[in-house]
Amino acid sequence: MENGQQLRLMQVQLGLILGNKFRAIRMKKIILAAQLLISIASFGQGFLHRDGQKIVDGNGKNVLLRGLGLGGWMVQEGYMLKTQPFASPQYQIRQKIQDVIGEEGTKEFYAAYKENGITKRDIDSLAKWGFNSIRLPMHYNLYTPPIEQEKNGEITWIEEGFTMTDNLLKWCAENKIYLILDLHAAPGGQGNDAAISDFDTTKPALWQSEANQKKMIALWKKLASRYRDNPWIGAYDIINEPNWNFTGLNKNGCDENSNGPLRDLMVAVTKAIREVDTNHLIFIEGNCWGNNYNGIFPLWDDNLALSFHKYWNYTDKASIEQMLGYREKYNVPIWMGESGENSNVWFKDALTLVETNNIGWAFWPMKKIDNIAGVTSVTKIPEYDVLLKYWKDGGPKPSPEFAKKTLMKIADNYKMENVTVKPDVIDAMFRQVQTDDTKPYKKNAVPGKIAATHYDLGTNGKAYSDTDFINYRSVTGKDEQWNRGNSMRNDGVDILPCKYKDSNGYQVSFIEDGEWIQYTVDAKEGTYNVAIRYSSEKGEGKLYLETEGGAKSTVISLPSTGGNDKWKTVVLSNVVLRSGSNKVKAVFEKGGFNLNYFDFVMNKNKK
């Protein structure tokens, strides 16, 4: 074959190879694009936006947001880490940590804390539990440096925050969950409640610095430019809980009548966002922790919604009447952007209230150390108590090795696989909003032991009856305890840790006259003798068991055992249970004792 023919043959072969390769690349791009379109179409979501008084998706379908705020991940607050008495804002917490493990150790701790704090496994769990949205509380300093670190007034960027947000958004999209970006700690800090926004009173606040305000505006424009085409971004919540006195006397802005600087800044942020992003819904918040809208109206954009925050108040319609009035008057959606930190009863009642009125919500927070009022609890180890005591009271300083090992263990405890999931809280937020029916907390099979704390899931008056079961702090002015033991479960039933060796680690305590607890019991048909394990310091308690249909056992007395940590057993005879599921109620005719378990033993002498 001549050289010219060989060359032409090689060209033809190369053309076929390249052609196939380019066709494969084109086909791959077509497939990826089709997959993206199918993903969006299958959920039918598009961009969330305002449609009169409703939030709707791209198909015009009403969307009721059921969300959780990832509090503590990007912005630490002292009460979440048990440091509130001596270090409430994040910068103070960091100083305490750096004092015991140094600058490099502190960097290592925070790297692990952020890496473990929220992962794909967390988002997968939230989706499984029923959440369809997430509110991300952002600290500006993960995205851009403080103004004192900038040169010549230039605004520069930090990739860490954007990368964390990108990863979270990816996990949300995979779970068909909307991500709402919330500027929780604005440049300088937006309120006198310093813990919320990491406000350092020795530096200019957001409202005292034009440079801080320009940085906030630039940050939102940067975020909007980055995420403008992503429909899984549900909304931009442009400033969390401003609480500042511009002209009024109340330092948190609760008596402000104009709120001019707040309105001006929100208008400026909206304008900057709209220069690059006309797709996304924007949430605005009033002064006084998001609730004082005096002077904020009229609205300035066609795709806005109002956010309000609700804590420790009544759960009747009157408690949200003002926000309902704003919705009607200004033809705008409203959203309960933050709530929580109360009992399961309050959760159920508050969520029933807002959902009945077509108001979406985001509860607070995701993770907290030693927590009963959230969907998870981070374990507090004994070594951490040593650090807390030193930070609070002083004394001998823990060694750097001890302190670092302790803090790295705490960071490890933030992993989803290491937290304690709280099924009672999740049940109150979802199932109990739909029904008053009770549900077993655990499978209680008899013959056998039933832990006193394994009573049914459900609300007060249905699964149990307790005198104190809710906190109306902002109404009564008192910090009311709904669970005086503050352990294990978030119901009104008072639970304490128990050191008794045969217990499940907890006991029902602070029992008062007339209270009761219900258990779903899976039984073999028969008559049972029930051994009741209890303790009491003084006095004599009394209880009886009541089964379905109203059948009551005899009343049994529980004499004093001589101390709350001295346990004794009394036997209640001839309790009849049918085959299968039984509802058994332990009624405390007279309280004053602690209860550990019931041990059901078949009475073979009875049919």
Side-chain angles (χ1 to χ4, degrees):
M1 188 180 295
E2 295 181 0
N3 290 339
Q5 290 175 314
Q6 289 177 332
L7 181 61
R8 283 194 297 275
L9 181 59
M10 288 172 65
Q11 288 173 335
V12 170
Q13 290 172 335
L14 181 61
L16 288 172
I17 293 170
L18 292 174
N20 289 335
K21 187 173 182 179
F22 290 143
R23 279 193 292 275
I25 292 171
R26 284 199 301 273
M27 184 57 67
K28 187 175 182 181
K29 288 182 177 179
I30 291 170
I31 291 171
L32 288 172
Q35 287 174 339
L36 177 62
L37 290 172
I38 290 170
S39 174
I40 293 174
S42 66
F43 192 56
Q45 123 268 3
F47 292 98
L48 292 186
H49 62 278
R50 168 191 178 184
D51 180 9
Q53 297 177 27
K54 299 183 295 182
I55 295 174
V56 300
D57 64 16
N59 293 328
K61 181 181 178 182
N62 184 72
V63 175
L64 187 68
L65 294 170
R66 296 182 173 99
L68 192 69
L70 305 184
W73 186 38
M74 287 186 167
V75 187
Q76 291 179 323
E77 296 182 38
Y79 85 100
M80 296 183 185
L81 292 148
K82 305 294 183 184
T83 65
Q84 186 174 18
F86 50 85
S88 206
Q90 179 173 277
Y91 79 91
Q92 292 178 352
I93 299 168
R94 190 180 184 103
Q95 287 170 356
K96 293 291 184 183
I97 292 172
Q98 191 163 322
D99 170 61
V100 291
I101 62 174
E103 184 176 353
E104 289 305 312
T106 300
K107 289 179 181 178
E108 188 177 343
F109 164 76
Y110 273 99
Y113 178 90
K114 286 178 283 191
E115 182 180 357
N116 299 339
I118 299 295
T119 65
K120 184 179 184 299
R121 183 167 176 171
D122 292 85
I123 309 310
D124 294 345
S125 298
L126 292 177
K128 180 181 178 181
W129 298 336
F131 293 96
N132 66 7
S133 54
I134 284 170
R135 182 172 179 251
L136 174 64
M138 303 179 296
H139 197 307
Y140 83 92
N141 69 10
L142 292 170
Y143 302 83
T144 182
I147 55 171
E148 60 266 22
Q149 295 179 18
E150 302 281 33
K151 296 180 180 179
N152 303 320
E154 181 185 6
I155 295 176
T156 59
W157 305 106
I158 300 171
E159 189 57 32
E160 181 181 14
F162 295 104
T163 300
M164 292 171 72
T165 309
D166 289 348
N167 290 336
L168 177 59
L169 180 56
K170 178 176 180 291
W171 303 329
C172 286
E174 289 170 354
N175 280 288
K176 296 183 171 62
I177 283 179
Y178 291 108
L179 178 61
I180 297 165
L181 304 185
D182 151 42
L183 188 55
H184 215 77
Q190 66 267 28
N192 282 307
D193 191 347
I196 293 170
S197 61
D198 197 21
F199 173 40
D200 183 346
T201 57
T202 67
K203 298 174 182 177
L206 175 68
W207 311 109
Q208 299 167 327
S209 166
E210 184 180 353
N212 276 329
Q213 294 179 31
K214 286 182 177 179
K215 182 175 276 284
M216 175 176 162
I217 294 167
L219 173 57
W220 271 116
K221 187 170 184 178
K222 184 82 168 176
L223 290 164
S225 179
R226 191 180 186 100
Y227 300 118
R228 60 190 170 196
D229 297 321
N230 196 310
W232 292 111
I233 292 288
Y236 303 135
D237 187 357
I238 58 179
I239 186 166
N240 174 70
E241 291 190 348
N243 56 100
W244 193 266
N245 54 323
F246 302 113
T247 60
L249 298 177
N250 181 278
K251 71 174 186 177
N252 299 116
C254 298
D255 62 353
E256 290 291 332
N257 290 315
S258 65
N259 287 308
L262 173 58
R263 186 184 195 277
D264 291 346
L265 182 58
M266 292 195 294
V267 170
V269 169
T270 304
K271 181 176 182 294
I273 290 172
R274 293 301 181 224
E275 287 174 1
V276 294
D277 180 356
T278 57
N279 292 322
H280 284 103
L281 179 67
I282 293 175
F283 285 121
I284 61 172
E285 299 189 25
N287 207 343
C288 187
W289 296 285
N291 297 305
N292 179 350
Y293 276 89
N294 293 334
I296 301 298
F297 302 107
L299 300 177
W300 54 88
D301 186 87
D302 292 334
N303 200 16
L304 295 181
L306 310 183
S307 172
F308 68 100
H309 293 186
K310 183 176 176 65
Y311 285 100
W312 312 301
N313 52 25
Y314 291 140
T315 52
D316 56 4
K317 193 172 182 180
S319 69
I320 59 169
E321 201 65 58
Q322 185 176 59
M323 294 306 301
L324 292 173
Y326 290 150
R327 179 169 71 178
E328 182 71 26
K329 182 175 181 179
Y330 298 104
N331 193 34
V332 62
I334 57 177
W335 175 60
M336 187 170 73
E338 202 177 291
S339 187
E341 305 292 8
N342 212 313
S343 69
N344 287 338
V345 177
W346 193 92
F347 292 172
K348 184 254 188 189
D349 290 347
L351 293 178
T352 301
L353 170 71
V354 295
E355 290 199 6
T356 300
N357 286 279
N358 193 33
I359 301 169
W361 48 270
F363 257 52
W364 184 265
M366 174 69 178
K367 294 178 182 176
K368 224 170 69 175
I369 291 177
D370 203 15
N371 174 34
I372 66 167
V375 295
T376 71
S377 176
V378 177
T379 301
K380 178 166 67 70
I381 57 177
E383 294 85 350
Y384 190 60
D385 283 322
V386 174
L387 283 185
L388 293 175
K389 188 176 189 308
Y390 165 71
W391 284 332
K392 181 176 182 290
D393 301 327
K397 186 174 184 178
S399 70
E401 294 77 17
F402 172 87
K404 185 176 179 183
K405 184 177 180 180
T406 299
L407 288 165
M408 294 306 289
K409 177 58 179 172
I410 288 292
D412 190 66
N413 285 355
Y414 270 82
K415 291 178 180 176
M416 189 64 197
E417 56 265 37
N418 293 335
V419 301
T420 301
V421 176
K422 298 293 186 178
D424 57 302
V425 175
I426 298 166
D427 189 72
M429 296 174 71
F430 290 98
R431 189 189 66 86
Q432 291 179 34
V433 174
Q434 307 302 323
T435 179
D436 282 334
D437 292 345
T438 61
K439 178 182 176 182
Y441 177 80
K442 295 275 188 181
K443 183 176 181 179
N444 295 317
V446 301
K449 286 183 181 179
I450 297 176
T453 55
H454 289 178
Y455 58 89
D456 286 353
L457 293 167
T459 194
N460 193 55
K462 301 295 182 180
Y464 62 90
S465 179
D466 196 274
T467 303
D468 305 308
F469 56 88
I470 208 161
N471 186 349
Y472 290 133
R473 182 195 309 173
S474 66
V475 179
T476 64
K478 299 185 301 180
D479 192 2
E480 300 162 293
Q481 293 297 310
W482 62 89
N483 183 325
R484 282 186 277 172
N486 196 39
S487 298
M488 187 180 168
R489 296 178 63 170
N490 194 43
D491 301 309
V493 177
D494 304 300
I495 298 174
L496 281 172
C498 182
K499 296 179 180 179
Y500 173 55
K501 63 179 181 179
D502 289 335
S503 75
N504 69 323
Y506 296 97
Q507 65 194 45
V508 174
S509 298
F510 306 105
I511 294 171
E512 298 186 36
D513 298 356
E515 295 181 339
W516 53 262
I517 310 175
Q518 176 184 283
Y519 304 85
T520 297
V521 178
D522 187 15
K524 292 181 180 180
E525 183 175 358
T527 301
Y528 290 82
N529 295 332
V530 184
I532 302 168
R533 194 68 170 172
Y534 77 101
S535 71
S536 62
E537 190 169 11
K538 55 185 178 180
E540 181 179 68
K542 293 183 178 182
L543 71 76
Y544 63 87
L545 298 184
E546 181 178 328
T547 55
E548 287 175 273
K552 298 178 182 178
S553 73
T554 58
V555 177
I556 191 167
S557 295
L558 287 74
S560 171
T561 64
N564 289 323
D565 58 349
K566 294 182 179 180
W567 296 87
K568 290 186 178 180
T569 302
V570 295
V571 177
L572 178 62
S573 301
N574 301 327
V575 176
V576 179
L577 297 179
R578 67 189 182 193
S579 178
S581 180
N582 295 256
K583 298 288 188 182
V584 179
K585 190 182 290 184
V587 181
F588 310 128
E589 194 171 274
K590 185 171 180 57
F593 58 93
N594 307 293
L595 188 60
N596 189 247
Y597 65 73
F598 303 91
D599 191 1
F600 285 73
V601 179
M602 185 78 77
N603 186 340
K604 296 180 180 179
N605 297 322
K606 298 277 187 176
K607 291 184 179 180

